[in-house]
Amino acid sequence: MKRDSNSPAERSRKAKAAKLARWKAAHPSVSRGLLYRMDPTVELGAGMGRMTDLDRALWNMTHQWWLMSSRPLRRVKKSDLDAVVAQARTDIPWLAELPAQACKAVAKRYWQTWERCWSGVGGAPNFHSRLKDRPSFDIPQARDLNITRVSKKFATVQVPKVGKVTIRYHRPIPVGARVTGARVTNDHGRWTLALRVELPKPELRSPVESRPVVGFDRGVVIPLAGSDGTEFNHPDWLTPGEKRHLRYLERQSARERHARWDRSDGRGKGRIGANERKTYDAIASVQAKAARRRKDWHHQTSRKIADGYSVAVFEALRIKNMTKSAAGSVKAPGTNVAAKSGLNRVILNEGWGTLLDLTRYKMADNGGAVVTVPAPFTSLTCHTCGSTTPGQRKNQALLVCGDTDCGWTGNADFNAACNILMRAVSGGLVPTLSAGIVDDARSRYELEERTDAMPPVGTEAPLKLDGPGKRENRLGQRTVAA
Ligand SMILES: [Zn+2]
């Protein structure tokens, strides 16, 4: 149906939209999520679990309907989707337990997933699994929440159709923030309330001009090395005791799994029992703890970068390619499979993509910017003279320039960070650069004796990001399965 652009309804709609746009222009704001840990009682936890089940069921039904009705031509409109979801809620009695607003939110989220997919940002929506996806549900209307502080550390939040749930109020909602909704998530047994808020556009924390420009190399030995000599390190995400416990659980699950296969006596793999399931849950809960610590480090590090620098240059790593399995095919089996899979684990474990995303928005808030440059050879080239002599990268930690006139010797990650910064400067990506920064950092860095994490010269470190092997492979002189 074509809209009549002169009808009174249409004119009023346009006027409202224009008014909203004017208000938004006068009150610049940013959307943020505030996370609070929830402490539900057993009954309330079960009630929220029920809500997540309903949310997932509705999502899966919506997806099933989509697959049946819109495969060939993708003619379905947002309004069709809304109507179908609303109809489902009236037709299926048990679905009515999910509040109408939460149902609408499912349709909205489903449509948004498609829109992201069509614009090339994300993947197509898929069925949600009870075990593989984090269970969650929406509370779209902020006025339902009724957040009430009950003590210094705790507050309560009204979860529709479930009840009043205690949350740990570890930080107040900022002054001037407008809560627009919330999402409740169960992260392997830990309930989290994510408040969606609109904050007034934050003030710059310091003038942009007073902050230097920096390049960062993301490495395995040093997670983040800066071209000014700074390093961002973090401890292992799990303590030795937790690692021991995880290993114990993994062995236990393997035992239970093999026992199940033996019991089934060659007829399929059998049904996972309650005890085996418990072991898997315990493993997931330890891993979820590690993930939360990693995210915390990402938030703290990106905050420091955004506060300390005006422009941060990163290498544009294509993590997907880097972490491709080395196993190859049956015809052309890969070499060094175990080492590569170990490296894959290390790369994915760092979550570099997340760090970049977080730094990006914090930088933007603070008047700065994040720039990425192509990565090849930044870790093999001498940043002083530009020499690319093969073998000058002695190991993961050390680079000794192969050019006899230059002979620069120093930390390979620092060298790569300088190269990354200079690549952005020569590419015109960094508008202002005080020329002193790089030189100053270099002289400071060379004075320090770095004996830690540095194997004897001439020995090969087991993990290499851009070793000579990769380079030869790039030039087609040696076949290494990528
Ligand atoms: Zn050199």
Side-chain angles (χ1 to χ4, degrees):
M1 198 179 75
K2 200 165 167 270
R3 272 204 178 116
D4 179 6
S5 60
N6 276 325
S7 74
E10 185 64 7
R11 272 207 305 277
S12 134
R13 196 190 63 81
K14 274 185 182 164
K16 262 187 197 160
K19 199 174 166 190
L20 186 66
R22 273 200 305 281
W23 191 87
K24 277 195 171 166
H27 302 83
S29 67
V30 289
S31 308
R32 291 285 174 269
L34 301 178
L35 298 185
Y36 294 93
R37 182 172 170 176
M38 305 176 93
D39 283 336
T41 60
V42 175
E43 292 81 30
L44 290 171
M48 295 203 292
R50 175 79 182 142
M51 287 296 153
T52 65
D53 288 344
L54 293 167
D55 182 283
R56 186 179 52 253
L58 183 58
W59 173 282
N60 286 342
M61 275 191 259
T62 311
H63 187 49
Q64 184 65 55
W65 168 81
W66 182 279
L67 293 182
M68 290 191 304
S69 58
S70 99
R71 250 284 157 69
L73 279 171
R74 206 194 281 148
R75 281 274 177 79
V76 179
K77 291 196 291 291
K78 172 77 168 49
S79 51
D80 302 337
L81 189 70
D82 288 340
V84 165
V85 170
Q87 189 63 39
R89 190 166 178 272
T90 50
D91 289 351
I92 304 167
W94 51 264
L95 211 49
E97 276 182 64
L98 194 65
Q101 293 298 330
C103 286
K104 275 185 191 165
V106 172
K108 188 177 172 188
R109 203 150 39 87
Y110 187 78
W111 186 259
Q112 277 173 348
T113 311
W114 270 122
E115 281 187 329
R116 282 171 62 79
C117 174
W118 294 329
S119 60
V121 183
N126 207 341
F127 290 111
H128 282 177
S129 145
R130 189 165 67 87
L131 299 171
K132 283 178 193 156
D133 296 286
R134 276 190 307 180
S136 61
F137 65 94
D138 247 49
I139 310 173
Q141 281 180 317
R143 63 182 156 82
D144 296 344
L145 288 167
N146 195 14
I147 297 169
T148 316
R149 196 155 183 182
V150 291
S151 70
K152 195 178 168 201
K153 285 184 177 170
F154 295 97
T156 56
V157 60
Q158 183 70 37
V159 179
K161 301 217 176 183
V162 174
K164 243 184 208 171
V165 180
T166 308
I167 60 171
R168 299 200 190 176
Y169 203 61
H170 68 284
R171 67 163 167 191
I173 297 169
V175 179
R178 200 165 60 88
V179 181
T180 59
R183 188 159 186 82
V184 177
T185 308
N186 185 351
D187 183 16
H188 297 285
R190 180 174 292 192
W191 289 97
T192 309
L193 177 78
L195 287 183
R196 286 189 286 267
V197 293
E198 296 274 327
L199 296 171
K201 202 168 187 326
E203 307 260 319
L204 300 194
R205 297 188 173 213
S206 59
V208 184
E209 309 81 53
S210 71
R211 284 180 263 143
V213 175
V214 72
F216 280 113
D217 178 51
R218 300 176 280 190
V220 172
V221 177
I222 303 170
L224 209 58
S227 59
D228 59 352
T230 50
E231 285 176 11
F232 289 103
N233 275 302
H234 58 74
D236 284 349
W237 305 124
L238 294 174
T239 64
E242 285 163 342
K243 276 186 198 164
R244 242 185 345 262
H245 184 54
L246 185 61
R247 274 201 299 278
Y248 160 77
L249 288 169
E250 277 167 349
R251 275 199 296 270
Q252 167 122 334
S253 75
R255 265 199 306 278
E256 287 164 344
R257 191 161 53 245
H258 286 278
R260 169 164 55 85
W261 292 348
D262 288 346
R263 272 199 309 277
S264 72
D265 202 20
R267 292 168 282 114
K269 287 185 172 174
R271 192 182 160 83
I272 297 177
N275 282 330
E276 193 182 347
R277 172 63 51 213
K278 254 184 223 163
T279 314
Y280 289 138
D281 284 349
I283 291 173
S285 132
V286 175
Q287 284 167 344
K289 184 181 280 179
R292 284 193 295 270
R293 287 175 187 162
R294 187 172 62 219
K295 199 172 173 190
D296 179 55
W297 184 79
H298 283 153
H299 268 293
Q300 295 197 21
T301 305
S302 56
R303 171 44 67 205
K304 282 177 196 154
I305 295 171
D307 284 353
Y309 303 100
S310 59
V311 179
V313 187
F314 289 89
E315 48 187 320
L317 282 177
R318 284 171 304 166
I319 294 168
K320 230 180 206 170
N321 289 356
M322 275 178 66
T323 57
K324 224 185 244 173
S325 166
S329 58
V330 180
K331 252 186 188 171
T335 54
N336 221 2
V337 178
K340 184 79 200 296
S341 80
L343 178 59
N344 283 353
R345 258 202 306 282
V346 173
I347 292 171
L348 293 175
N349 212 3
E350 288 293 339
W352 282 332
T354 313
L355 180 67
L356 208 58
D357 288 345
L358 297 179
T359 313
R360 234 178 228 133
Y361 87 75
K362 284 174 190 170
M363 270 289 198
D365 277 1
N366 210 13
V370 168
V371 169
T372 56
V373 294
F377 304 117
T378 46
S379 57
L380 298 174
T381 310
C382 168
H383 75 279
T384 314
C385 66
S387 151
T388 53
T389 315
Q392 63 183 2
R393 171 109 185 232
K394 294 300 174 192
N395 52 49
Q396 188 64 42
L398 186 71
L399 185 129
V400 178
C401 179
D403 187 296
T404 43
D405 291 340
C406 168
W408 185 85
T409 305
N411 180 269
D413 290 324
F414 166 69
N415 175 67
C418 291
N419 277 326
I420 286 164
L421 176 58
M422 287 195 279
R423 208 166 267 197
V425 173
S426 62
L429 294 166
V430 180
T432 53
L433 175 75
S434 21
I437 297 169
V438 176
D439 291 336
D440 182 44
R442 189 187 302 148
S443 58
R444 255 188 299 127
Y445 211 82
E446 275 172 328
L447 292 174
E448 285 175 37
E449 188 138 358
R450 295 189 50 85
T451 46
D452 56 313
M454 216 184 270
V457 177
T459 57
E460 290 271 292
L463 296 179
K464 282 185 290 173
L465 275 185
D466 290 327
K470 187 175 175 192
R471 197 164 156 221
E472 283 167 29
N473 183 28
R474 195 174 277 281
L475 300 171
Q477 291 167 351
R478 211 174 94 189
T479 322
V480 180

